[in-house]
């Protein structure tokens, strides 16, 4: 029974960053912009959060205060949003290939934080550990970061925004038929900018969860493909908030199971570590042809 409980809570912890990132990608792709840069946005957000908290601690002589990790979270969300703005400018204003723009951001996310780490900590792989982490919430026999609770509560909120508000109707119209939406008075460009920046904010929050919620420092490439798994969850979930929830729980379970199996003799270690990615490939192979994306996704809009 203890193993089941541990696996359950581990699934929640592993699913949370995937869920936050997928919901961010949902806004972007529902507006018609492919956001393959989610992986890079997570890394930039994680680095910003951990470094901000560490710099505050250094400046205050190791002060421990409840507000410090929240400033780090704000920094992660802000940097994620700024990276989203870069992707939006390249994809919307300059009509660059959205895949190429996203790939460039992902590559930059592997190099740019290392430069900052070298300047601040004289190494290119990790920041210093922080004392002020995001608080945990007790849930019976275990506890989870407050951002885990936030991620799951965000699902019905996103559903309501997308399907029950005029803004959500406009967003979906922009992703399906931007020309028709424009004739009805919808500012297609503004909607797409807003959606892509919002996707960056949520991915940045996911990164902050990794560096100051789940762990207590930034580690180079610590997202370990979470942005790409989140994209797979978006496809598997058919661009719907509750579908995304189910998909991220499935992938989170695969990651949690891989952690539980590590150190055992059931499967070779390499196969255990590859389980989440094997599941991702199987899901994409089985569902990518049957999931219908927004009709205008990936297509630049010329007003």
């Amino acid at each position: 029974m203890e193993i089941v409980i541990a696996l359950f809570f581990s699934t929640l912890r592993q699913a949370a960053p995937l869920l936050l990132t997928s919901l961010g990608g949902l806004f972007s792709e529902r507006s018609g912009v492919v956001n393959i840069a989610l992986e890079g946005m997570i890394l930039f957000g994680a680095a910003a959060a951990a470094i901000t908290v560490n710099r505050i601690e250094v400046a205050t002589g190791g002060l421990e205060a409840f507000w410090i990790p929240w400033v780090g979270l704000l920094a992660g969300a802000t940097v994620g949003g700024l990276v989203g703005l870069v992707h939006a400018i390249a994809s919307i204003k300059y009509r660059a290939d959205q895949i190429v723009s996203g790939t460039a951001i992902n590559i930059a996310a592997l190099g740019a934080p290392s430069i900052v780490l070298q300047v601040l900590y004289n190494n290119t792989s990790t920041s210093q550990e922080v004392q002020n982490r995001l608080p945990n919430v007790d849930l019976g026999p275990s506890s989870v970061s407050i951002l885990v609770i936030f991620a799951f509560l965000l699902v019905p909120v996103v559903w309501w925004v997308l399907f029950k508000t005029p803004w959500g109707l406009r967003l979906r119209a922009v992703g399906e038929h931007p020309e028709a939406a424009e004739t009805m008075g919808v500012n297609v460009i503004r909607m797409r900018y807003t959606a892509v920046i919002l996707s960056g904010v949520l991915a940045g929050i996911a990164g902050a969860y990794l560096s100051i919620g789940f762990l207590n420092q930034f580690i180079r490439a610590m997202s370990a493909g979470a942005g790409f798994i989140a994209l797979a969850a978006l496809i598997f979930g058919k661009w719907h908030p509750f579908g995304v929830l189910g998909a991220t729980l499935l992938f989170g379970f695969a990651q949690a199971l891989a952690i539980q199996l590590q150190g055992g003799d059931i499967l070779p270690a390499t196969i255990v570590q590859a389980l989440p990615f094997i599941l991702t490939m199987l899901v994409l192979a089985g569902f990518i042809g049957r999931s219908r994306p927004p009709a205008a996704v990936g297509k630049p809009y010329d007003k």
Side-chain angles (χ1 to χ4, degrees):
M1 188 64 180
E2 291 182 0
I3 295 177
V4 174
I5 293 174
L7 186 61
F8 171 75
F9 282 100
S10 182
T11 298
L12 296 183
R13 297 185 189 101
Q14 297 295 327
L18 301 178
L19 183 54
L20 286 167
T21 307
S22 284
L23 291 175
L26 180 64
F27 282 110
S28 180
E29 300 215 350
R30 278 285 188 171
S31 76
V33 179
V34 174
N35 195 350
I36 201 173
L38 292 171
E39 178 81 1
M41 293 172 181
I42 293 174
L43 289 173
F44 277 114
I51 292 172
T52 297
V53 171
N54 172 254
R55 292 295 91 188
I56 292 175
E57 291 177 349
V58 170
T60 58
L63 176 68
E64 294 188 18
F66 77 93
W67 56 268
I68 294 178
W70 295 106
V71 175
L73 176 63
L74 179 61
T78 301
V79 170
L82 290 174
V83 177
L85 176 60
V86 171
H87 182 50
I89 291 173
S91 302
I92 301 170
K93 182 176 181 180
Y94 294 107
R95 305 181 69 196
D97 186 292
Q98 296 168 14
I99 302 297
V100 173
S101 172
T103 302
I105 288 173
N106 291 336
I107 294 172
L110 293 175
S114 295
I115 297 173
V116 178
L117 293 175
Q118 180 64 44
V119 172
L120 294 177
Y121 309 113
N122 200 32
N123 75 82
T124 59
S125 57
T126 64
S127 68
Q128 291 180 353
E129 294 184 356
V130 300
Q131 303 301 315
N132 293 274
R133 297 173 58 196
L134 291 166
N136 286 339
V137 177
D138 290 327
L139 294 177
S142 187
S143 63
V144 296
S145 170
I146 194 169
L147 286 187
V148 174
I149 306 298
F150 171 73
F152 286 95
L153 290 178
L154 192 60
V155 174
V157 174
V158 171
W159 173 84
W160 180 78
V161 168
L162 279 179
F163 297 102
K164 299 296 180 179
T165 67
W167 187 87
L169 177 61
R170 291 194 292 269
L171 181 72
R172 289 183 287 122
V174 164
E176 292 290 343
H177 302 289
E179 292 84 4
E182 189 76 46
T183 61
M184 296 299 294
V186 177
N187 190 322
V188 174
I189 302 299
R190 181 189 300 167
M191 291 296 297
R192 288 190 169 183
Y193 266 102
T194 302
V196 178
I197 293 171
L198 185 56
S199 73
V201 169
L202 289 176
I205 292 174
Y209 164 77
L210 291 177
S211 63
I212 61 173
F214 189 70
L215 298 178
N216 62 347
Q217 65 179 155
F218 172 76
I219 302 173
R220 186 176 183 270
M222 69 185 306
S223 54
F228 300 113
I229 295 177
L231 279 174
L234 194 56
I235 297 170
F236 187 25
K238 297 184 178 180
W239 292 269
H240 191 285
F242 289 109
V244 165
L245 171 62
T248 52
L249 282 172
L250 176 63
F251 291 131
F253 173 77
Q255 292 180 328
L257 183 62
I259 293 172
Q260 292 290 329
L261 291 176
Q262 285 180 4
D265 298 325
I266 300 175
L267 292 170
T270 52
I271 294 180
V272 170
Q273 294 171 358
L275 272 178
F277 303 100
I278 293 172
L279 179 61
T280 301
M281 289 188 292
L282 291 175
V283 165
L284 288 176
F287 285 87
I288 195 168
R290 285 181 273 175
S291 296
R292 192 189 73 82
V297 69
K299 299 176 183 178
Y301 176 67
D302 189 8
K303 187 173 180 179

